[in-house]
Amino acid sequence: MNAYGPPGAIPEPSVPPGAPLPASLDEAVARWRGLLAEAAPRHVLLEGFHALKHALRFGAVVPVALCTDRAGTLELAAELAPDLGEVLARLLVEVDAQAVSALVPRPHPTGVAALAERPAPAAVAAALRGERRTPVVVLDQPRHLGNAGAVVRLAAGFGASGVVTTGPLDPWHPTVVRGGAGLHFATAVAPLEVSELPGGPLFALDPEGADIRGLALPDDALLAFGSERHGLSAGLRARADQLVALPMRPQVSSYNLATSVGMALFHWASASGAAPA
């Protein structure tokens, strides 16, 4: 899912009508605080150069971006993201490190921080429920925020159609967004109940399932993974069309969640013409 435009397009920095990009430290700080003070917050924190880079590449609307070394950040962009040089030159406002520390709980070593609009729920729902050519990853009752972020990053890299979570974990929590390196904007990310999962055959990873190496995973599959400690919930297990197991050496109890997701997506990608080249 490209949040706000065709794949590969580099959007113009977008702000609410009548609100130009902030041009000074004071304007930027005021904009930042005003957005976070909204009664129904619509913005997420992007921590670091790479998170901002990824978000912009996949259509994020970024009304304010701060950095502690504007010249150094633009040099980094020239080296690692020349496609974004002009956009970042218009968007970045230099502030001192103290100002960033007052606004961001854990300032990133690159000195870059930005706020981005969350994709509209209707756009996310359309990406998940429309015709899909790549799988959706389902994290069933996940517990670890960092693992969830790593899964979003994996899913974006494999071109998965989305990552959905069941249970109380917010997949847009700041720690998850940090772990995802801004790639929440490259794939549809949403919390859903098991009853709300999009259509498609559901393959649930479980040690008692059939060996994944003997299966072909369809492009519109849902690939479901249980929590790090408790495995699949009863509701998700009942919804599954087939239980699938990853190869594992005897007496090794489990894989890390993100590792399991990566193995399953690689198995799908190795046989699918819809996987990224």
Side-chain angles (χ1 to χ4, degrees):
M1 173 183 166
N2 184 340
Y4 292 94
I10 301 302
E12 293 294 318
S14 179
V15 294
L21 290 171
S24 69
L25 185 156
D26 289 343
E27 290 177 5
V29 170
R31 170 75 60 79
W32 188 288
R33 288 176 172 158
L35 292 173
L36 292 185
E38 293 175 337
R42 297 175 296 115
H43 295 81
V44 294
L45 174 64
L46 301 175
E47 301 177 75
F49 173 80
H50 294 291
L52 176 58
K53 171 193 72 178
H54 286 142
L56 288 171
R57 279 182 173 164
F58 289 97
V61 176
V62 179
V64 58
L66 311 177
C67 63
T68 55
D69 179 3
R70 189 172 186 276
T73 302
L74 293 177
E75 286 182 8
L76 188 62
E79 177 184 357
L80 301 178
D83 53 311
L84 292 172
E86 293 184 6
V87 172
L88 289 169
R90 291 194 296 273
L91 184 61
L92 289 168
V93 175
E94 184 169 293
V95 299
D96 57 49
Q98 184 176 359
V100 172
S101 296
L103 298 172
V104 179
R106 296 180 297 168
H108 193 271
T110 60
V112 175
L115 294 178
E117 282 188 20
R118 283 182 59 162
V124 176
L128 291 172
R129 302 189 185 286
E131 183 178 352
R132 301 190 314 269
R133 297 186 64 248
T134 60
V136 169
V137 174
V138 179
L139 302 183
D140 185 34
Q141 302 280 339
R143 299 291 195 273
H144 192 281
L145 296 166
N147 276 345
V151 168
V152 170
R153 192 168 184 174
L154 270 168
F158 277 100
S161 292
V163 176
V164 301
T165 61
T166 69
L169 183 143
D170 176 9
W172 285 87
H173 185 282
T175 301
V176 183
V177 175
R178 184 182 181 109
L183 286 163
H184 279 61
F185 296 90
T187 187
V189 178
L192 296 175
E193 300 295 332
V194 171
S195 61
E196 299 172 327
L197 292 176
L202 194 155
F203 296 81
L205 277 290
D206 185 272
E208 299 178 0
D211 191 323
I212 195 171
R213 290 171 292 184
L215 300 173
L217 299 176
D219 292 338
D220 64 344
L222 305 180
L223 304 178
F225 302 81
S227 73
E228 296 87 340
R229 179 170 297 181
H230 302 291
L232 296 168
S233 67
L236 195 288
R237 184 182 287 269
R239 166 72 170 77
D241 294 291
Q242 184 163 357
L243 297 181
V244 178
L246 295 170
M248 186 182 300
R249 181 180 180 180
Q251 299 185 335
V252 175
S253 58
S254 66
Y255 294 119
N256 171 270
L257 175 61
T259 300
S260 297
V261 174
M263 293 172 70
L265 286 174
F266 183 82
H267 177 75
W268 161 77
S270 65
S272 173

